[in-house]
Amino acid sequence: YTQDFSDDAANCGACGNVCASGPCQGGTCYCETAVQACFTRCEGLYPDSDNGYYCKKGCAMMANGQPVDTTVYCAHSSTYTTCYDECINASGHETRRDECRDGCTYWATSSSSLADGL
């Protein structure tokens, strides 16, 4: 038996390298990489921390300024639609919901959905 490190979330890229944030793709813990890229995009769009925070809600499930679930959007084929719809819960202010939707745009404009690559 030969271990395949390319898509085993318990041995991603190397024996014992566990993907805490979900799936392994091509030997990389996919969601960690994709969500970080989405966060970086939000920081560029919204250098102000408050606005950037609401944008990041379109990258991952957030609470108290921190990501609590990085697989919520990256591991699903309907990522953009699901994300966009969930932004209604991001805030009671429409401008902040729009910032969240800007985060969701990451999933629509790049080859970011894990399900697309599987």
Side-chain angles (χ1 to χ4, degrees), residues 14-28:
C15 188
N17 183 37
V18 177
C19 290
S21 66
C24 173
Q25 182 180 39
T28 301

Side-chain angles (χ1 to χ4, degrees), residues 6 23 25 30 44-45 52 55 72 80 87-88 96 98 106 111 117:
S6 65
Q25 182 180 39
Y30 175 77
L45 289 171
C55 181
V72 67
Y80 175 73
C87 284
I88 194 73
R96 290 186 171 167
D98 286 341
Y106 173 81
S111 303

Side-chain angles (χ1 to χ4, degrees), residues 4-111:
D4 181 2
F5 297 123
S6 65
D7 64 2
D8 180 353
N11 299 285
C12 190
C15 188
N17 183 37
V18 177
C19 290
S21 66
C24 173
Q25 182 180 39
T28 301
C29 294
Y30 175 77
C31 290
E32 293 169 15
T33 303
V35 169
Q36 187 55 54
C38 187
F39 283 172
T40 299
R41 181 178 170 277
C42 285
E43 290 162 4
L45 289 171
Y46 297 101
D48 172 272
S49 62
D50 285 343
N51 295 342
Y53 174 70
Y54 286 94
C55 181
K56 289 177 181 180
K57 285 186 170 197
C59 301
M61 186 177 295
M62 304 286 290
N64 300 316
Q66 299 298 316
V68 293
D69 183 354
T70 58
T71 64
V72 67
Y73 301 127
C74 79
H76 305 285
S77 61
S78 60
T79 297
Y80 175 73
T81 303
T82 300
C83 180
Y84 191 91
D85 292 345
E86 285 295 317
C87 284
I88 194 73
N89 301 313
S91 172
H93 301 281
E94 186 62 31
T95 56
R96 290 186 171 167
R97 290 190 296 265
D98 286 341
E99 291 157 5
C100 175
R101 292 177 188 118
D102 284 342
C104 296
T105 303
Y106 173 81
W107 304 112
T109 59
S110 64
S111 303

